[in-house]
Amino acid sequence: MRLHRNLCFAVIDGLMLIFNEDQYADKVIQQLLKRDKRWGARDRAFVAETTYDIVRWKRLYAEIAEVKEPFTRDNIWRMFAVWATLKGIKLPDWTYFESTPTRKIKGKFDELSKIRKFKESIPDWLDELGEKELGTDVWTKEIAALNEQADVILRVNTLKTTKEALQAVLFDQDIETDFLPNYPDALKLKERANVFQTDAFKDGHFEVQDASSQLVAKFLNVEPGMRVVDACAGAGGKALHIAALMQNKGQVIAMDIYENKLHELKRRAKRNGVFNVEIRPIESTKVIKKLYDKADRVLIDAPCSGLGVLRRNPDAKWKLQPEFIDKIKITQQEILQQYSRMVKPGGQLVYATCSILPSENQNQVKAFLDSENGKDFTFVKEEKVLSHKSGFDGFYMALLQKK
């Protein structure tokens, strides 16, 4: 591979913003990709994937390059040189790469690869927490899996098409996909492609949604005609899936404290041909209280550490703080206590997170069931999805039945 100066400059500029100005990697990359209209798909892929790669391995590369935060521009060039060397890419004779100690880089990489927190490039506190909650063996396998690049998975919108029909349409546009056993609505891209440019996407025939996330709506046991509440709906990936499973019949009430996310859901619903979703911003507890004992199903896709989705958000490793996890666990229990009251007798509740930590998952469910509000519920089943076993995002879901 030959390095092109303008593409490398884009990567360095992006990393300065992500590392030193605390900007979100996905937003920075979106901006970078608009930088030069002449860039082809390969150029854009280089910028996006290289930036994500260096974000993912920040601690390891910084340690090999012997640089410390806050990084200067020269520091980031040194980290870039480490990335290129480890990828086997020949460094051009640019001033930034003068005196790059190629052999020393490889030796240091071998040495640091024996220590998990460097090998997997994670903060000390996160390494300790993962080991404490999951045990050495599981944590070692899981953090390695969470450092792999995520596949692109589509969820077929069954209100408009079938998996077979969509696969054929995409194949005609040189986008090859595979079916995934045990994920009835999923197609996996064989190679990364900009699927958002396709007519099939613009016509609402699919959404991009990880395979693990697609399990949640199914877990809720919805049927056409029900009243279902998605209590932390966000931009609505799961609400749209629920609506499709209900064949557009009945009512899906999508709620969130962030109104702007619900507007995005409204836009997506229109594209998907979904018309049984109603959005309700949670401006006060009144919105929840109005629905006490009224819902057949309630989904609580709770805010969490997001440790299960590090493959697609590698910068979260550096933004996440232990204090945040402590705080979010209090929020999770409060939401469970309050929102569970919307389930009517005989109805069901699913508590889900995209975390792999038992303290955010089964421990929260147990604490709820041991509480005053929880005594009205019985535990039905749970599913713990780990990346190293599934090949997809880490997830948790528990199904509870109201007496």
Side-chain angles (χ1 to χ4, degrees), residues 36-250:
D36 192 331
K37 287 189 172 69
R38 293 166 303 173
W39 287 351
R42 219 182 227 164
D43 298 330
R44 286 198 296 275
F46 173 84
V47 171
E49 287 167 23
T50 307
T51 306
Y52 269 133
D53 234 8
I54 297 173
V55 169
R56 186 174 281 119
W57 303 108
K58 178 179 83 163
R59 183 175 188 181
L60 176 65
Y61 292 172
E63 193 72 20
I64 294 172
E66 296 174 347
V67 297
K68 284 189 164 54
E69 288 184 272
F71 300 126
T72 63
R73 211 173 166 79
D74 283 346
N75 290 163
I76 290 183
W77 274 111
R78 282 178 70 115
M79 288 165 74
F80 185 95
V82 169
W83 169 83
T85 303
L86 294 174
K87 290 272 182 204
I89 297 166
K90 190 174 183 300
L91 293 173
D93 54 356
W94 302 346
T95 47
Y96 315 105
F97 300 135
E98 276 171 9
S99 69
T100 297
T102 309
R103 281 173 68 184
K104 193 176 162 195
I105 285 172
K106 289 174 179 165
K108 211 154 181 200
F109 172 77
D110 292 340
E111 188 187 311
L112 290 170
S113 290
K114 296 178 183 127
I115 305 161
R116 186 179 55 213
K117 63 188 180 184
F118 290 119
K119 183 188 181 191
E120 302 303 348
S121 195
I122 43 176
D124 289 5
W125 71 266
L126 181 54
D127 194 36
E128 285 156 21
L129 178 68
E131 181 163 41
K132 181 181 152 200
E133 293 225 10
L134 294 170
T136 307
D137 184 48
V138 173
W139 172 241
T140 301
K141 289 176 187 162
E142 188 63 6
I143 191 59
L146 289 171
N147 268 325
E148 287 168 15
Q149 190 185 45
D151 290 313
V152 179
I153 312 291
L154 312 181
R155 179 182 60 75
V156 180
N157 178 10
T158 51
L159 294 173
K160 290 197 168 188
T161 188
T162 64
K163 201 159 59 168
E164 292 75 14
L166 179 62
Q167 186 178 53
V169 166
L170 293 174
F171 184 78
D172 288 343
Q173 294 177 25
D174 297 327
I175 298 172
E176 288 190 56
T177 58
D178 287 323
F179 292 166
L180 289 177
N182 307 321
Y183 300 90
D185 301 328
L187 284 177
K188 175 177 144 182
L189 263 60
K190 286 190 180 180
E191 282 180 21
R192 300 181 89 75
N194 187 355
V195 289
F196 300 115
Q197 295 299 323
T198 62
D199 287 340
F201 177 74
K202 291 170 189 168
D203 295 340
H205 288 196
F206 68 86
E207 290 288 335
V208 173
Q209 185 179 4
D210 187 77
S212 298
S213 173
Q214 292 186 36
L215 296 172
V216 179
K218 285 264 191 292
F219 210 70
L220 201 55
N221 298 323
V222 294
E223 286 170 23
M226 282 183 170
R227 173 183 271 184
V228 179
V229 176
D230 183 353
C232 310
K238 296 178 188 74
L240 295 173
H241 193 190
I242 290 166
L245 293 173
M246 290 167 69
Q247 297 161 29
N248 249 338
K249 294 166 188 161

Side-chain angles (χ1 to χ4, degrees), residues 279-342:
I279 66 171
R280 292 190 197 174
I282 302 171
E283 287 154 346
S284 71
T285 53
K286 268 188 207 159
V287 184
I288 307 291
K289 285 176 181 166
K290 271 185 185 168
L291 286 164
Y292 277 3
D293 297 315
K294 298 228 173 91
D296 296 293
R297 300 284 184 270
V298 171
L299 169 61
I300 297 174
D301 182 18
C304 68
S305 62
L307 285 174
V309 293
L310 284 181
R311 297 174 331 143
R312 62 193 71 256
N313 298 321
D315 53 331
K317 291 194 283 191
W318 316 119
K319 289 187 168 26
L320 201 58
Q321 296 298 329
E323 306 79 58
F324 173 81
I325 296 184
D326 294 336
K327 269 190 212 148
I328 209 71
K329 286 194 274 204
I330 296 165
T331 306
Q332 287 164 350
Q333 195 56 229
E334 284 170 354
I335 287 175
L336 254 173
Q337 294 291 340
Q338 199 184 359
Y339 294 8
S340 60
R341 296 175 73 178
M342 293 187 281

Side-chain angles (χ1 to χ4, degrees), residues 251-273:
Q251 182 187 27
V252 181
I253 300 169
M255 311 170 93
D256 204 277
I257 56 171
Y258 300 109
E259 197 170 351
N260 59 325
K261 289 185 179 180
L262 293 175
H263 287 309
E264 169 67 4
L265 163 55
K266 213 171 184 178
R267 205 174 58 74
R268 291 171 77 186
K270 194 176 175 188
R271 190 181 67 238
N272 278 249

